[in-house]
Amino acid sequence: LPLLSSNSYDDDDDDDASRFSDIAIEQRMTKRIKVERDDKIHLPPQLEGDQNDDQFWSARDAIIEFTEDAFKKKSIFHLNSFVDAKKKQNEGFGPFVEQGIATPCFQEVPEVVVPMIADMPQKELREAMLQHVDWERFYDSRASAAGQVAMWLKRCIPGSFIVMRHEYERCHYCPKWLKERSDASDNSEYIGPVYIIGVVTRKIKPYSDEEAYVNSQMRYFKGIPHLCLVDWKRIGYKRDLKDESQKYINRICQPTVVNICNDFEKVYTDGATAQSLRQDLWDNSSPFELVVEV
């Protein structure tokens, strides 16, 4: 990515590359994206420990790995919920990456439903939410919207991966770090479309102290429900993906969250497979980190 600069190191070090572990080499190659301020949300010490007695919400036994091998095996969610294709805008991409969060929508789950989440099957949870939530603003897709939230609550757990895309050059919400100056003036050019990969590090229980704290730290949104904390760690150009991979993700064009690449026996339209898509997304992305510009 033109905007991204690698951590500096001496060329003479190349001869000694074999001395480095895989982790050290990856750190050396990490892309540094400059931002104006550090907005990533970190839980305070009193909330960092496991606050949940309920095993469903507990992070105690979670195995969180951001590795190629884990990406090939674990659940991947394509998060597209805040895209407005007609207006060509993506309201969620920048704030989610900068603050280290993710959610499928702003529709709250009623407090009466929360105790049911752990034990209730996904389909029954959807029906319960349809009974207790006013989904009228979703028009004909109200059952689909409730189903997506139910899927998120049941399946998106610590260690799951999330993929987001940014596609629109003139998006009103486009983060500055997706643009670079094209000349000595203040003119800038959009470097996308891009995709970004993150791993869920914590699942926030609705109506908990954790949720209240995270929302108090929000810069862009307030009162966000059913949150996950996410480490966004890789970024790549969509155009670098294979043609069949691009066609696959292009079909996910509506505001939605989808559990993708989960059928390892299926050959998708245009010839892509779950394994080929996962490999393509990983191979054509680079490690990155947001750093405050000084």
Side-chain angles (χ1 to χ4, degrees), residues 2-242:
L3 180 67
L4 313 181
S5 58
S6 298
N7 291 343
S8 60
Y9 63 96
D10 295 333
D11 291 339
D12 292 341
D13 289 345
D14 289 343
D15 294 335
D16 299 322
S18 59
R19 293 186 294 109
F20 293 91
S21 67
D22 290 342
I23 294 176
I25 291 173
E26 181 166 285
Q27 288 175 339
R28 191 177 68 174
M29 297 172 61
T30 296
K31 308 297 183 180
R32 299 166 64 85
I33 302 178
K34 294 180 180 180
V35 292
E36 295 178 351
R37 53 185 283 176
D38 182 5
D39 279 331
K40 186 171 183 180
I41 296 174
H42 301 276
L43 292 177
Q46 64 269 30
L47 294 178
E48 282 183 351
D50 195 346
Q51 302 294 310
N52 298 300
D53 296 328
D54 188 335
Q55 186 176 1
F56 179 81
W57 298 102
S58 173
R60 187 182 301 115
D61 299 324
I63 300 176
I64 302 170
E65 300 175 306
F66 196 89
T67 64
E68 180 178 351
D69 187 58
F71 188 70
K72 290 179 179 179
K73 297 176 181 177
K74 293 195 173 184
S75 290
I76 302 175
F77 293 87
H78 184 283
L79 184 60
N80 213 28
S81 301
F82 297 88
V83 168
D84 188 325
K86 292 183 179 179
K87 295 181 179 180
K88 298 188 180 303
Q89 294 181 353
N90 188 334
E91 187 177 2
F93 184 91
F96 287 4
V97 175
E98 292 170 20
Q99 301 220 260
I101 60 171
T103 185
C105 76
F106 291 161
Q107 175 64 61
E108 290 186 348
V109 176
E111 195 166 1
V112 68
V113 174
V114 175
M116 309 177 189
I117 295 174
D119 298 321
M120 186 174 284
Q122 181 178 317
K123 185 175 180 180
E124 293 180 20
L125 179 60
R126 182 196 68 176
E127 296 303 316
M129 288 193 294
L130 283 171
Q131 292 177 16
H132 291 282
V133 179
D134 179 13
W135 298 91
E136 290 304 320
R137 65 189 183 91
F138 292 94
Y139 304 102
D140 294 337
S141 63
R142 56 192 302 272
S144 175
Q148 290 171 35
V149 174
M151 176 189 68
W152 177 267
L153 290 168
K154 295 295 292 186
R155 297 193 210 169
C156 191
I157 62 175
S160 299
F161 288 86
I162 300 177
V163 173
M164 284 197 304
R165 294 150 48 197
H166 194 284
E167 302 264 354
Y168 306 123
E169 179 177 1
R170 298 184 180 181
C171 172
H172 177 71
Y173 305 100
C174 182
K176 292 181 179 179
W177 43 270
L178 282 186
K179 298 181 179 181
E180 69 167 357
R181 290 188 177 182
S182 57
D183 50 42
S185 69
D186 290 332
N187 294 329
S188 59
E189 293 184 354
Y190 178 62
I191 65 168
V194 299
Y195 66 94
I196 194 166
I197 303 173
V199 65
V200 176
T201 59
R202 198 174 187 104
K203 188 169 186 165
I204 305 297
K205 186 175 183 178
Y207 302 97
S208 66
D209 291 342
E210 293 169 303
E211 184 184 65
Y213 177 82
V214 172
N215 272 294
S216 74
Q217 301 301 302
M218 292 292 181
R219 181 182 177 193
Y220 305 93
F221 305 119
K222 297 295 182 183
I224 295 183
H226 32 72
L227 285 154
C228 288
L229 299 186
V230 182
D231 274 347
W232 301 101
K233 288 180 172 286
R234 292 181 77 90
I235 190 169
Y237 284 120
K238 178 185 165 186
R239 64 173 175 264
D240 289 339
L241 298 173
K242 295 177 181 178

